[in-house]
Amino acid sequence: MEKKPHFVRREFLPREVPSISLALLLVAVLLLNAFLYLYLNKFYSSLGRVETDPGLCPFGHFKFGAVKNCSPWLSCEAINREVRKLKCVGEGAVKKVFLSEWKEKKVVLSQLTNSELKEDFLHGLKMLKALQSKYVVRLLGYCERQFTILTEYHPLGSLRGLNETLHIPKYKSMNTWHRRLMLAMDYVSVIRYLHSSPLGTLVMCDSNDLDKVLSQYLLTSDFHVLVNDLDALPLVNRSAGRLVKCGHRELRGEFVAPEQRWPYGEDVPFEDDLMPPYDEKTDIWKIPDVSNFFLGHVEGSDIVRLHLFDIHAACKKKDPAERPSAQEVLDTYRKVLTLLIREAAMPSTREML
């Protein structure tokens, strides 16, 4: 009897196809994980900007632009001789701000405008000197006797103009949910740094409404957030029983934390001496409102808000002791960013197959 030939190739072909697909899927997943690891590691190393950044100069010195060498802070004489005012670009209760020029580079010159607030001005200078880091605008020089401070210039200005900046054609590619979330993370990183600063736990008191908060921070050209105004930064010292009060006037509105509002009702006139002090958890209360501004109304921002709902609800606890720390908020933001980037990348992995 004649034997029928066996078609071995046809027998094994159905098994080989799934094996190839599985191998491709495995390679795609490994590549995706490697990409995510490199991307997030690079991002966190820039975001988790340690207090003593190795790229910073020694105390009393600065590096400017692409210059590698550190220079001493400019003195009164150097500022008077080498800095030229160009135009006034802002004025607040404490100081007037001038766009200026030093050695053909744009800089910012701030000068006291109200002599009654010179203590606030000098406190801001003290904080600026002591807190130099990747979280704080770079100090270039100062003159105490003339109440003058010289700092680095950032052309994108304060965070108040963020939405307008993101609608400029040059920056439209930055107007995404993940870039906006990264800015919110930068902001929380600054708060975390202030709460664990080299000087101790500092409270950002110039923050009675959203517009005021945004005016205290700068947007850098590479889209990071720096704190710029440190005039109102009191110290909390629990071991010494020292809490703070942000000013001597009554604070109102839902933006400020409950403990910052007059607790004795409308029938009792406000008296500063009777107002109880509070701690740094007032900054935590404001994080959801500031982050909501950062997230805006771009595609995907509502998904981010949904993932941040629980941590933001915790930030709004009436009892300050029940609110998370800035570090806990930052950790949650990082987890959400990692999760959402991974989810966004998975459809691309499926398309590769």
Side-chain angles (χ1 to χ4, degrees), residues 327-347:
Q327 182 66 63
E328 289 170 324
V329 176
L330 182 59
D331 289 343
T332 302
Y333 277 32
R334 286 175 171 171
K335 290 175 184 175
V336 168
L337 178 64
T338 303
L339 172 66
L340 292 178
I341 288 178
R342 184 175 287 123
E343 288 180 353
M346 288 310 294

Side-chain angles (χ1 to χ4, degrees), residues 3-4 8 10 36 55 61 65 74 77 84 86 123 134 137 152 162 170-171 181 188 195 200 219 237 243 292 297 316:
K3 293 184 179 180
K4 293 182 180 180
V8 177
R10 286 187 181 178
L36 286 173
H61 295 73
L74 299 186
E77 292 73 18
R84 181 170 65 95
L86 299 178
H123 176 75
K134 286 189 176 181
V137 69
E152 190 173 15
L162 175 63
K170 179 181 178 180
Y171 299 111
L181 177 56
V188 177
H195 289 183
L219 179 64
N237 188 338
L243 299 178
N292 187 55
H297 301 285
K316 291 293 187 179

Side-chain angles (χ1 to χ4, degrees), residues 208 245-278 282 318:
N208 297 335
K245 288 192 285 188
C246 290
H248 304 287
R249 293 180 294 179
E250 182 177 1
L251 302 179
R252 297 176 179 269
E254 292 300 313
F255 188 82
V256 297
E259 63 270 23
Q260 292 184 280
R261 302 173 212 152
W262 181 242
Y264 303 117
E266 296 289 338
D267 296 333
V268 180
F270 177 82
E271 288 187 39
D272 184 43
D273 291 340
L274 298 179
M275 179 67 198
Y278 34 83
T282 57
K318 187 172 182 180

Side-chain angles (χ1 to χ4, degrees), residues 151-162:
T151 54
E152 190 173 15
Y153 171 63
H154 293 278
L156 296 183
S158 79
L159 289 177
R160 285 190 293 191
L162 175 63

Side-chain angles (χ1 to χ4, degrees), residues 42 52 70 83 100 117 128 135 161 163 178 184 220 243 245 265 268 282 287 293 301 315 325 331 333:
K42 181 180 179 182
T52 53
C70 295
V83 177
S100 304
L117 298 175
L128 194 55
Y135 303 102
N163 289 323
H178 61 275
T220 67
L243 299 178
K245 288 192 285 188
V268 180
T282 57
I287 286 176
F293 166 81
S301 61
C315 291
S325 66
D331 289 343
Y333 277 32

Side-chain angles (χ1 to χ4, degrees), residues 29-71:
V29 169
L30 290 173
L31 287 173
L32 174 62
N33 285 334
F35 169 76
L36 286 173
Y37 173 80
L38 292 172
Y39 173 80
L40 293 171
N41 186 59
K42 181 180 179 182
F43 168 67
Y44 288 150
S45 65
S46 64
L47 179 73
R49 297 170 278 181
V50 296
E51 295 77 13
T52 53
D53 172 33
L56 288 173
C57 293
F59 183 81
H61 295 73
F62 70 92
K63 282 194 293 189
F64 195 78
V67 177
K68 293 183 178 180
N69 296 328
C70 295
S71 302

